[in-house]
Amino acid sequence: MLDDPGVDALVQQWTADNARDAENDEITRIASQWLADSPMPAAVGIPGQRGGGRGWATVDAADPRFVDAMRRRLPEVPHELIAEAAKWWQMAGGVAEAEEWWDAGLSPLDQRALDYRAAGLGPSDLARRLGPMTVLQHLRRGSAPAWCVARLQRQRRDGVA
């Protein structure tokens, strides 16, 4: 994968959390039965995604183009994890953008990429330098995305960039 141990840890945690066992099957059965009996609709949708001009639409399946692009880069990751990450990315941007983030050093499986994108960072910003470190190094050390954006804007304004 990448040099980011967080992505490896995420894959391991997801695999452990989603291991099928009798207890999980029973929980799923009870939850499904409870939702079927409830008067509210089970699928309320994802905020921000409109369907056909009325109500909220749900994303039931990941776009196969996203899944294929991620599968090429991470053949050992479980399909379900890739499909869930692909659902998020298809709402936020295109396949090319997800691959740009990946090429810049941040896996689309790492949901922090969506936070960075929402803060105003782009894939090309990750390699830019803020002092002795790159933006990506600052983010990996815990700097806030908003701080990085502000520093980049200051560099542009001052003509340093």
Side-chain angles (χ1 to χ4, degrees):
M1 282 209 206
L2 295 173
D3 293 335
D4 187 358
V7 174
D8 289 331
L10 174 70
V11 170
Q12 291 173 353
Q13 178 185 353
W14 187 91
T15 303
D17 289 346
N18 290 296
R20 300 297 295 186
D21 62 4
E23 184 179 355
N24 283 342
D25 291 341
E26 180 68 9
I27 291 169
T28 302
R29 186 188 66 72
I30 292 169
S32 296
Q33 184 177 5
W34 181 79
L35 287 172
D37 294 339
S38 70
M40 293 181 56
V44 258
I46 299 168
Q49 187 177 23
R50 297 277 180 185
R54 53 187 180 109
W56 297 101
T58 59
V59 175
D60 294 326
D63 186 330
R65 295 173 298 154
F66 284 86
V67 175
D68 290 342
M70 290 183 178
R71 173 64 58 214
R72 281 192 303 273
R73 294 186 185 232
L74 292 171
E76 71 279 359
V77 174
H79 175 75
E80 296 82 12
L81 179 59
I82 288 179
E84 290 302 314
K87 286 180 189 179
W88 284 102
W89 273 102
Q90 75 188 40
M91 288 189 300
V95 174
E97 183 184 357
E99 288 181 334
E100 286 176 29
W101 280 98
W102 211 314
D103 293 340
L106 195 61
S107 170
L109 291 177
D110 187 343
Q111 295 300 301
R112 292 176 295 184
L114 293 173
D115 295 335
Y116 302 159
R117 183 183 186 277
L121 291 171
S124 62
D125 293 328
L126 298 182
R128 304 232 356 245
R129 298 200 75 76
L130 295 175
M133 295 189 295
T134 65
V135 170
L136 183 57
Q137 289 170 327
H138 277 286
L139 292 169
R140 285 189 174 155
R141 289 182 177 219
S143 296
W147 178 84
C148 294
V149 169
R151 289 282 309 266
L152 287 171
Q153 288 173 344
R154 188 171 354 140
Q155 279 185 351
R156 288 183 188 116
R157 185 186 67 231
D158 296 343
V160 176

